[in-house]
Short mmCIF file of all heavy atoms in Angstrom, two decimals:
data_model
loop_
_atom_site.label_atom_id
_atom_site.label_comp_id
_atom_site.label_asym_id
_atom_site.label_seq_id
_atom_site.Cartn_x
_atom_site.Cartn_y
_atom_site.Cartn_z
N GLU A 458 117.68 89.06 113.74
CA GLU A 458 117.74 90.50 113.83
C GLU A 458 116.74 91.15 112.98
O GLU A 458 116.07 92.10 113.34
CB GLU A 458 119.21 90.93 113.47
CG GLU A 458 119.40 92.41 113.69
CD GLU A 458 120.78 92.78 113.14
OE1 GLU A 458 121.79 92.05 113.41
OE2 GLU A 458 120.84 93.79 112.51
N SER A 509 71.40 106.88 92.45
CA SER A 509 72.20 107.89 91.74
C SER A 509 72.92 108.72 92.75
O SER A 509 74.05 109.15 92.51
CB SER A 509 71.28 108.81 90.90
OG SER A 509 70.56 108.09 90.04
N THR A 510 72.34 108.87 93.95
CA THR A 510 73.01 109.63 95.04
C THR A 510 74.28 108.96 95.48
O THR A 510 75.43 109.56 95.48
CB THR A 510 72.12 109.80 96.20
OG1 THR A 510 70.92 110.51 95.85
CG2 THR A 510 72.80 110.50 97.35
N LEU A 517 82.02 111.85 92.68
CA LEU A 517 82.46 113.18 92.99
C LEU A 517 83.90 113.10 93.71
O LEU A 517 84.70 113.92 93.62
CB LEU A 517 81.50 113.86 93.97
CG LEU A 517 80.21 114.38 93.26
CD1 LEU A 517 79.30 114.94 94.25
CD2 LEU A 517 80.56 115.33 92.15
N ARG A 518 84.07 112.02 94.44
CA ARG A 518 85.41 111.85 95.08
C ARG A 518 86.48 111.71 94.02
O ARG A 518 87.61 112.20 94.25
CB ARG A 518 85.36 110.59 96.03
CG ARG A 518 84.73 110.90 97.31
CD ARG A 518 84.45 109.63 98.16
NE ARG A 518 84.18 109.99 99.50
CZ ARG A 518 83.07 110.53 99.90
NH1 ARG A 518 82.11 110.75 99.03
NH2 ARG A 518 82.91 110.89 101.17
N SER A 534 68.54 111.56 81.61
CA SER A 534 67.99 112.02 82.92
C SER A 534 69.01 112.40 83.91
O SER A 534 68.70 113.07 84.91
CB SER A 534 67.06 110.90 83.49
OG SER A 534 67.97 109.77 83.88
N GLU A 542 76.73 123.22 90.34
CA GLU A 542 76.55 124.57 90.98
C GLU A 542 77.54 124.76 92.04
O GLU A 542 78.04 125.88 92.33
CB GLU A 542 75.10 124.72 91.51
CG GLU A 542 74.06 124.79 90.55
CD GLU A 542 73.80 126.25 90.10
OE1 GLU A 542 74.52 127.09 90.55
OE2 GLU A 542 72.82 126.42 89.42
N LEU A 550 83.96 115.03 83.67
CA LEU A 550 82.70 114.31 83.86
C LEU A 550 82.17 114.02 82.42
O LEU A 550 81.65 114.89 81.77
CB LEU A 550 81.72 115.16 84.67
CG LEU A 550 80.29 114.66 84.89
CD1 LEU A 550 80.31 113.26 85.50
CD2 LEU A 550 79.50 115.64 85.74
N VAL A 552 79.62 111.99 79.87
CA VAL A 552 78.28 111.39 79.83
C VAL A 552 78.07 110.80 78.37
O VAL A 552 78.33 111.54 77.40
CB VAL A 552 77.21 112.44 80.11
CG1 VAL A 552 75.77 111.87 79.94
CG2 VAL A 552 77.30 112.95 81.54
N ARG A 554 75.27 109.07 75.96
CA ARG A 554 73.87 108.87 75.78
C ARG A 554 73.72 107.98 74.53
O ARG A 554 73.80 108.47 73.41
CB ARG A 554 73.09 110.19 75.71
CG ARG A 554 73.01 110.86 77.00
CD ARG A 554 72.07 111.96 77.09
NE ARG A 554 72.02 112.54 78.37
CZ ARG A 554 71.67 113.78 78.65
NH1 ARG A 554 71.47 114.62 77.72
NH2 ARG A 554 71.64 114.22 79.91
N ASP A 580 73.80 103.18 83.80
CA ASP A 580 72.39 103.25 84.33
C ASP A 580 71.59 102.28 83.54
O ASP A 580 71.16 102.55 82.37
CB ASP A 580 71.88 104.66 84.12
CG ASP A 580 70.50 104.80 84.77
OD1 ASP A 580 70.05 103.91 85.39
OD2 ASP A 580 69.95 105.89 84.61
N ALA A 645 55.95 111.26 107.20
CA ALA A 645 55.38 112.53 107.43
C ALA A 645 55.74 113.16 108.78
O ALA A 645 55.59 114.32 109.03
CB ALA A 645 53.82 112.47 107.28
N ALA A 648 60.99 116.08 110.67
CA ALA A 648 60.99 117.49 110.78
C ALA A 648 61.04 118.19 109.43
O ALA A 648 60.43 119.14 109.12
CB ALA A 648 62.13 117.95 111.69
N ARG A 653 65.85 112.49 106.06
CA ARG A 653 65.53 111.11 105.72
C ARG A 653 66.86 110.28 105.67
O ARG A 653 67.97 110.86 105.62
CB ARG A 653 64.88 111.03 104.38
CG ARG A 653 65.66 111.76 103.29
CD ARG A 653 64.88 111.68 101.97
NE ARG A 653 64.99 110.40 101.43
CZ ARG A 653 64.29 110.04 100.30
NH1 ARG A 653 63.52 110.89 99.68
NH2 ARG A 653 64.35 108.81 99.87
N HIS A 676 70.95 114.60 102.61
CA HIS A 676 70.85 116.04 102.79
C HIS A 676 70.41 116.73 101.51
O HIS A 676 70.97 116.35 100.45
CB HIS A 676 72.21 116.55 103.26
CG HIS A 676 72.38 118.06 103.03
ND1 HIS A 676 71.86 118.99 103.90
CD2 HIS A 676 73.09 118.73 102.12
CE1 HIS A 676 72.20 120.18 103.51
NE2 HIS A 676 72.92 120.09 102.42
N GLY A 677 69.60 117.71 101.53
CA GLY A 677 69.26 118.62 100.46
C GLY A 677 68.87 117.99 99.16
O GLY A 677 68.56 116.76 99.16
N PRO A 678 69.02 118.58 98.00
CA PRO A 678 69.19 120.05 97.96
C PRO A 678 67.94 120.80 98.34
O PRO A 678 67.07 120.99 97.51
CB PRO A 678 69.64 120.25 96.53
CG PRO A 678 68.96 119.15 95.75
CD PRO A 678 68.79 118.03 96.70
N ARG A 680 67.62 123.83 99.16
CA ARG A 680 67.55 125.11 98.54
C ARG A 680 68.59 125.07 97.35
O ARG A 680 69.59 125.62 97.42
CB ARG A 680 67.99 126.21 99.53
CG ARG A 680 66.96 126.59 100.58
CD ARG A 680 65.71 127.21 99.93
NE ARG A 680 64.67 127.58 100.94
CZ ARG A 680 63.65 126.79 101.05
NH1 ARG A 680 63.47 125.68 100.40
NH2 ARG A 680 62.70 127.14 101.99
N SER A 685 70.54 133.92 89.86
CA SER A 685 70.59 134.72 88.58
C SER A 685 72.03 135.15 88.41
O SER A 685 72.59 135.71 89.40
CB SER A 685 69.68 135.95 88.68
OG SER A 685 68.40 135.56 89.17
N ARG B 726 127.05 95.77 116.05
CA ARG B 726 125.69 96.19 115.85
C ARG B 726 125.56 97.74 115.87
O ARG B 726 124.55 98.34 115.61
CB ARG B 726 124.79 95.64 117.00
CG ARG B 726 124.86 94.14 117.09
CD ARG B 726 123.51 93.53 117.33
NE ARG B 726 123.63 92.10 117.51
CZ ARG B 726 123.70 91.19 116.54
NH1 ARG B 726 123.73 91.62 115.28
NH2 ARG B 726 123.85 89.92 116.76
N ALA B 906 76.58 111.83 71.03
CA ALA B 906 76.37 110.81 72.03
C ALA B 906 77.40 111.00 73.19
O ALA B 906 77.20 110.43 74.34
CB ALA B 906 76.42 109.42 71.54
N LEU B 908 79.31 113.42 75.61
CA LEU B 908 79.01 114.83 76.14
C LEU B 908 79.75 115.19 77.42
O LEU B 908 80.00 114.35 78.21
CB LEU B 908 77.48 114.99 76.29
CG LEU B 908 76.61 114.58 75.16
CD1 LEU B 908 75.14 114.35 75.66
CD2 LEU B 908 76.62 115.66 74.08
N PHE B 909 79.95 116.48 77.54
CA PHE B 909 80.42 117.04 78.81
C PHE B 909 79.34 118.09 79.24
O PHE B 909 78.74 118.75 78.36
CB PHE B 909 81.72 117.79 78.64
CG PHE B 909 82.95 116.88 78.61
CD1 PHE B 909 83.86 116.97 77.51
CD2 PHE B 909 83.24 116.04 79.63
CE1 PHE B 909 84.98 116.22 77.49
CE2 PHE B 909 84.32 115.21 79.66
CZ PHE B 909 85.21 115.31 78.52
N TYR B 916 68.46 131.66 83.76
CA TYR B 916 67.65 131.48 84.90
C TYR B 916 66.98 130.10 84.97
O TYR B 916 67.03 129.48 86.02
CB TYR B 916 66.54 132.52 84.88
CG TYR B 916 66.99 133.91 85.14
CD1 TYR B 916 67.43 134.71 84.15
CD2 TYR B 916 67.00 134.46 86.46
CE1 TYR B 916 67.90 136.05 84.35
CE2 TYR B 916 67.38 135.79 86.70
CZ TYR B 916 67.81 136.60 85.66
OH TYR B 916 68.15 137.84 85.89
N ARG B 921 69.82 125.59 82.56
CA ARG B 921 71.09 126.04 83.26
C ARG B 921 72.17 124.99 82.93
O ARG B 921 73.34 125.44 82.80
CB ARG B 921 70.77 125.93 84.78
CG ARG B 921 71.90 126.34 85.60
CD ARG B 921 71.84 127.81 86.07
NE ARG B 921 72.93 128.05 87.01
CZ ARG B 921 73.94 128.77 86.78
NH1 ARG B 921 74.10 129.31 85.56
NH2 ARG B 921 74.91 128.97 87.73
N PHE B 953 81.36 118.95 99.32
CA PHE B 953 80.29 118.31 98.70
C PHE B 953 80.32 116.82 98.95
O PHE B 953 79.32 116.14 98.66
CB PHE B 953 80.38 118.56 97.15
CG PHE B 953 79.04 118.50 96.47
CD1 PHE B 953 78.26 119.61 96.53
CD2 PHE B 953 78.60 117.40 95.79
CE1 PHE B 953 77.00 119.62 95.97
CE2 PHE B 953 77.40 117.43 95.18
CZ PHE B 953 76.62 118.52 95.20
N THR B 954 81.31 116.26 99.37
CA THR B 954 81.42 114.84 99.54
C THR B 954 81.45 114.38 100.92
O THR B 954 81.54 113.20 101.25
CB THR B 954 82.69 114.29 98.77
OG1 THR B 954 83.83 114.89 99.30
CG2 THR B 954 82.60 114.54 97.30
N PRO B 957 76.45 114.32 105.55
CA PRO B 957 75.71 113.34 104.85
C PRO B 957 75.76 113.51 103.34
O PRO B 957 76.16 114.60 102.85
CB PRO B 957 74.30 113.54 105.34
CG PRO B 957 74.29 115.02 105.77
CD PRO B 957 75.67 115.36 106.19
N LEU B 958 75.35 112.48 102.57
CA LEU B 958 75.43 112.59 101.12
C LEU B 958 74.36 113.57 100.57
O LEU B 958 73.29 113.65 101.22
CB LEU B 958 75.10 111.18 100.53
CG LEU B 958 76.00 110.01 101.03
CD1 LEU B 958 75.61 108.74 100.41
CD2 LEU B 958 77.44 110.34 100.80
N LEU B 960 71.63 114.69 97.95
CA LEU B 960 70.69 114.02 97.06
C LEU B 960 71.03 114.38 95.56
O LEU B 960 71.27 115.51 95.23
CB LEU B 960 69.28 114.58 97.40
CG LEU B 960 68.15 113.54 97.27
CD1 LEU B 960 68.42 112.26 98.01
CD2 LEU B 960 66.88 114.15 97.68
N ALA B 961 70.96 113.33 94.71
CA ALA B 961 71.11 113.54 93.27
C ALA B 961 69.79 113.65 92.66
O ALA B 961 68.81 112.99 93.10
CB ALA B 961 72.01 112.40 92.75
N ARG B 963 67.22 113.41 89.03
CA ARG B 963 67.01 112.89 87.68
C ARG B 963 66.12 113.92 87.04
O ARG B 963 65.00 114.11 87.44
CB ARG B 963 66.40 111.54 87.75
CG ARG B 963 67.22 110.50 88.32
CD ARG B 963 68.39 110.12 87.39
NE ARG B 963 69.03 108.91 87.87
CZ ARG B 963 69.34 107.87 87.07
NH1 ARG B 963 69.01 107.97 85.73
NH2 ARG B 963 69.92 106.80 87.46
N GLN B 964 66.64 114.44 85.94
CA GLN B 964 65.89 115.52 85.25
C GLN B 964 64.72 114.98 84.43
O GLN B 964 64.87 113.88 83.87
CB GLN B 964 66.79 116.32 84.32
CG GLN B 964 66.20 117.58 83.72
CD GLN B 964 67.07 118.25 82.81
OE1 GLN B 964 68.08 117.67 82.32
NE2 GLN B 964 66.72 119.48 82.38
N ARG B 991 54.36 115.45 102.38
CA ARG B 991 54.85 116.71 102.81
C ARG B 991 55.28 117.57 101.57
O ARG B 991 55.58 116.96 100.55
CB ARG B 991 56.04 116.64 103.68
CG ARG B 991 55.80 115.94 105.08
CD ARG B 991 57.16 115.89 105.80
NE ARG B 991 57.60 117.20 106.19
CZ ARG B 991 57.26 117.79 107.37
NH1 ARG B 991 56.46 117.15 108.26
NH2 ARG B 991 57.73 118.93 107.68
N ASP B 993 57.56 121.31 100.56
CA ASP B 993 58.49 122.42 101.03
C ASP B 993 58.55 123.42 100.00
O ASP B 993 58.84 123.18 98.82
CB ASP B 993 59.85 121.80 101.24
CG ASP B 993 60.85 122.82 101.90
OD1 ASP B 993 61.25 123.75 101.16
OD2 ASP B 993 61.05 122.63 103.13
N TRP B 1013 59.20 121.27 96.73
CA TRP B 1013 59.72 119.91 96.96
C TRP B 1013 58.55 119.10 97.57
O TRP B 1013 58.10 119.55 98.53
CB TRP B 1013 60.92 119.92 97.85
CG TRP B 1013 62.13 120.57 97.28
CD1 TRP B 1013 62.58 121.86 97.51
CD2 TRP B 1013 63.07 120.04 96.37
NE1 TRP B 1013 63.65 122.17 96.78
CE2 TRP B 1013 64.03 121.07 96.03
CE3 TRP B 1013 63.20 118.81 95.71
CZ2 TRP B 1013 65.06 120.88 95.21
CZ3 TRP B 1013 64.26 118.62 94.88
CH2 TRP B 1013 65.27 119.61 94.60
N ILE B 1021 61.11 111.87 96.27
CA ILE B 1021 61.04 113.29 96.37
C ILE B 1021 60.99 113.88 94.99
O ILE B 1021 61.76 113.56 94.10
CB ILE B 1021 62.26 113.90 97.18
CG1 ILE B 1021 62.26 113.43 98.56
CG2 ILE B 1021 62.27 115.45 97.07
CD1 ILE B 1021 63.45 113.92 99.38
N TRP B 1023 60.48 117.38 92.48
CA TRP B 1023 60.68 118.86 92.49
C TRP B 1023 59.79 119.29 91.37
O TRP B 1023 59.99 119.02 90.13
CB TRP B 1023 62.19 119.06 92.08
CG TRP B 1023 62.57 120.52 92.39
CD1 TRP B 1023 62.18 121.29 93.40
CD2 TRP B 1023 63.50 121.21 91.61
NE1 TRP B 1023 62.77 122.47 93.34
CE2 TRP B 1023 63.66 122.53 92.19
CE3 TRP B 1023 64.28 120.96 90.50
CZ2 TRP B 1023 64.49 123.42 91.79
CZ3 TRP B 1023 65.17 121.95 90.03
CH2 TRP B 1023 65.29 123.20 90.63
N ASP B 1040 66.90 110.81 93.32
CA ASP B 1040 67.19 109.38 93.33
C ASP B 1040 68.43 109.15 94.19
O ASP B 1040 69.57 109.52 93.72
CB ASP B 1040 67.40 108.87 91.89
CG ASP B 1040 67.68 107.35 91.90
OD1 ASP B 1040 67.31 106.66 92.82
OD2 ASP B 1040 68.38 106.87 90.94
#
Side-chain angles (χ1 to χ4, degrees):
Chain A
E458 183 186 317
S509 301
T510 299
L517 289 177
R518 283 172 163 71
S534 64
E542 289 270 9
L550 175 55
V552 174
R554 287 192 176 153
D580 185 7
R653 54 181 289 174
H676 161 78
R680 285 290 178 263
S685 311
Chain B
R726 305 223 185 277
L908 307 162
F909 279 126
Y916 289 87
R921 181 100 173 106
F953 211 79
T954 57
L958 306 181
L960 213 55
R963 293 289 193 130
Q964 186 184 15
R991 293 180 68 91
D993 188 285
W1013 293 97
I1021 294 179
W1023 195 36
D1040 181 27

